[in-house]
Every structure is written in structure tokens, then in C-alpha cells.
Amino acid sequence: MKLRAVRLIEALGTWPLGGQGVEAARKRAADAGYDPALADQAGALLGSAPEAALQVLEAQYGGILSDSASVLVVCRQYTPGNDSGGTTVDVRLSAASPQWNVTALHPAVPGPPAASLTSAARAVLADAEAVTLPPAAHADVLSGNVHDSALNGMLTLARSYRIMLSVVRSGHPIDVFGTTRPSDHPQGRAFDVWTIDGQAVVDPATPRSLVESFMRAAAAAGSYNVGGPYLLSGSGNQFFSDDTHHDHVHVGFDY
């Protein structure tokens, strides 16, 4: 399922010299075995650069049910003179045989940079070694639309861990997948972490103790809603685990 989502984004976001434009993207999608109309939903992924190369940094679940799923494809896109481009695409899929079908694309829309930022936002942007932000997440923080609660949570965790984030605000489903309950992500009150101290959460070789200690540290940093691959004991609903969160740690705030 993830591979199905990733291959489409790679096909849309990479083109040879002279291959820019929606019509060319439709052909690339069709050649890769997808509905060519999906290219019309690719947004900023289809820039005007004469050529482009796309690198997928991470593909994580935004939600998974028996007959539908959301895969968040986090990518960096290189074009002539620009190596800082990229986005996150919420790829929707439906169950089918022999492989899942991609039904829709929802690229991140972070918004323009803010005229001024809080000290917490500036500190997160300045601490690239401890808090690694992919392009859409970086733009989210730069937009000023991420709450200080989440930003201070990142900074607190960065004192003890090196973390790579996958999603902050944009590029995530508006509602918790499969429900009508608003997600904390689009409100700027949550972030997802896919590697801790250089080790991927989803990797079986990553020590369980590392992930569990990080989850507890996130709760101690003020998160009311910490999700991950392991269900930890705690007060109320502070910790949770499900199929969606076996590949990352969700850190959410309610203030």
C-alpha cells in the first residue's frame, strides 16, 4: 500500500528536461499504472522547472481501515538552482485486488511565511541538528501557524533526543481518519516523529525501550495524547496505540 502511494508521487514529481507541465505528468501517471487524472491534484508538486528529481524521505500512515487508507508521502524535490523544495502529500487509497487503488491526492498547503515568529518558532527553525523538519513541516513553522505548545514540546524533547519529524500541520488529514473528529495536526497542535536518535520507529531493530522512553518524555513535555507502536500505561487516554501509529510517534497538545 505504501509502495503504491510512493511510486505515484515519484512519477509525478520527477521529470526529465522539458517534461514539466500537467499533460506530461498525466502521461507519467498513466505509464506508471495510475489514473492520469490524479496529476490534476498534484498541486505544487508540479512546478514550472524544466526538470526535477524527487526523493521520498518517509511514507507513514495517516490512517488505515480495512477498505481505505491515507499514506502521507513526505518528500524533497530538487530543481535547477533549488535543493530545498518539496512537500507532503496525503495520498488516499481504496482496497482492491491485486493492489490498492490511489483515489485522491491532497498536497500540503502550509501558507506563506509569517511577518514575525514567536521565540519558540525561531528556536525550532534554528535547531536543525536536534529537530529535523522536512520541507512542508519547515514551511508550517515558518508560517506562524504552529502553536507554541507543540513548538516548546519539540524543544523540550530535543534536549534529550535527536528527532526527525514527518508531519506537523499541513499534509495531514483534516479529521482523524475514518471519523468526523478534528485532528490536532491541522490546528497546529501536533507533530509526528518518525526517527529518534537516528533510528526509525518502524524498524524492528529499534529498541522498544527507546521508543517507550520517548513516548513517556513526550507526555512529560505536556502532550495529552501520545500515540505510537506500543500501548503504555498512563492516566486517562494519555497514551494510545493502533495500526496507524506503528510507524511513528504522534505528539498532540490541547492548548
Side-chain angles (χ1 to χ4, degrees), residues 206-229:
T206 297
R208 176 170 177 155
S209 58
L210 174 64
V211 179
E212 288 192 356
S213 67
F214 179 80
M215 291 175 67
R216 293 197 181 279
S223 175
Y224 83 109
N225 196 27
V226 183

Side-chain angles (χ1 to χ4, degrees), residues 136-152:
H138 185 276
D140 285 335
V141 176
L142 200 60
S143 75
N145 291 318
V146 180
H147 284 226
D148 273 3
S149 56
L151 295 167
N152 285 322

Side-chain angles (χ1 to χ4, degrees), residues 13-244:
T14 298
W15 58 87
L17 188 64
Q20 69 269 36
V22 175
E23 286 301 327
R26 288 176 184 150
K27 185 178 186 306
R28 292 196 299 275
D31 289 346
Y34 299 87
D35 180 355
L38 289 165
D40 298 0
Q41 303 173 21
L45 202 60
L46 303 184
S48 59
E51 58 184 327
L54 183 136
Q55 175 190 17
V56 172
L57 304 175
E58 165 66 348
Q60 77 167 47
Y61 286 120
I64 181 168
L65 303 174
S66 61
D67 60 351
S68 61
S70 160
V71 174
L72 311 183
V73 181
V74 183
C75 56
R76 186 174 296 282
Q77 190 177 45
Y78 302 91
T79 55
N82 182 13
D83 61 0
S84 61
T87 189
T88 295
V89 184
D90 175 7
V91 180
R92 300 297 177 94
L93 304 98
S94 63
S97 181
Q99 58 189 351
W100 286 57
N101 289 327
V102 176
T103 58
L105 304 178
H106 300 281
V109 183
S116 62
L117 293 171
T118 66
S119 60
R122 293 195 302 271
V124 166
L125 293 171
D127 198 2
E129 285 193 13
V131 182
T132 300
L133 300 169
H138 185 276
D140 285 335
V141 176
L142 200 60
S143 75
N145 291 318
V146 180
H147 284 226
D148 273 3
S149 56
L151 295 167
N152 285 322
M154 296 176 201
L155 294 169
T156 298
L157 290 166
R159 296 182 194 129
S160 303
Y161 304 92
R162 288 178 295 108
I163 57 177
M164 295 185 73
L165 276 60
S166 48
V167 180
V168 178
R169 178 178 170 271
S170 60
H172 190 280
I174 300 297
D175 295 328
V176 175
F177 193 76
T179 77
T180 57
R181 178 163 52 91
S183 167
D184 286 328
H185 281 279
Q187 301 176 65
R189 298 199 320 251
F191 57 90
D192 290 342
V193 174
W194 75 280
T195 73
I196 305 165
D197 289 344
Q199 301 187 72
V201 171
V202 74
D203 189 344
T206 297
R208 176 170 177 155
S209 58
L210 174 64
V211 179
E212 288 192 356
S213 67
F214 179 80
M215 291 175 67
R216 293 197 181 279
S223 175
Y224 83 109
N225 196 27
V226 183
Y230 311 115
L231 183 59
L232 308 186
S233 60
S235 59
N237 295 327
Q238 190 168 29
F239 297 107
F240 71 94
S241 181
D242 56 25
D243 289 343
T244 298

